[in-house]
Amino acid sequence: MIWSIFKEGAPRVSLKTVSDSKEPIKTMGGMTIVPDCLIGDIVVSETNLLLLPGANTWNDQRHGAIIKKADEFLSLGAAVCAICGATAALEGLGLLDQRPHTSNGPGFLEMVSPGYQGQNFYVDEPSVADDNLLTASSTGGLLWTKQIIERLGVFEANTLEAWYAYFSTGELEHFFALMQTLPSGNGN
């Protein structure tokens, strides 16, 4: 039996990995990724979403092109999602100075971005969604993912809530509630 958690008629989602070259990248976790396309190939569109994963290398100058692309996304109203160290990269370009955001706790952005000016917009929560900017701390990955899925519009609201309840608690009752929300044809 194949189950689909996506709602009927959900928009098609295509995930592309992006880099400044087509050379394989070894992540901090040891996984090797071969980029699908170059930064210059990214189409900035309101329907596209840019995910910036956490890392301790975001202050490296070689990431400047993708952060400028993030600025283009935000300016157009397209979504940018940054977690952990990627929030520091956004701050490096001043993209958090006037918008609600979060990061790895109060003081983190000041520590890694001496020019940080967004203290009045900092929200001490695991993940913050402000229109088309979604930021998260290193501990906010699950809530951040929920907010991204919500932005994509691929789950019914009750499915998303049941999914989040199950994965945030691990309680079996939420698993069965999740199964009851799935579209017809999924065996329920």
Side-chain angles (χ1 to χ4, degrees), residues 88-134:
L90 293 179
E91 175 45 41
L93 201 58
L95 298 178
L96 304 181
D97 288 349
Q98 301 295 316
R99 303 182 65 144
H101 63 277
T102 196
S103 189
N104 291 331
F108 174 76
L109 290 172
E110 290 89 344
M111 179 179 73
V112 297
S113 297
Y116 177 50
Q117 299 294 309
Q119 292 87 346
N120 291 335
F121 293 91
Y122 186 85
V123 181
D124 193 16
E125 294 290 333
S127 185
V128 172
D130 174 55
D131 190 26
N132 60 329
L133 176 65
L134 291 82

Side-chain angles (χ1 to χ4, degrees), residues 57-89:
T57 61
W58 276 105
N59 286 334
D60 189 316
Q61 294 291 348
R62 67 188 173 102
H63 298 304
I66 194 66
I67 298 307
K68 287 179 184 164
K69 193 63 78 169
D71 187 20
E72 290 177 43
F73 267 69
L74 291 172
S75 296
L76 183 65
V80 172
C81 310
I83 189 167
C84 191
T87 60

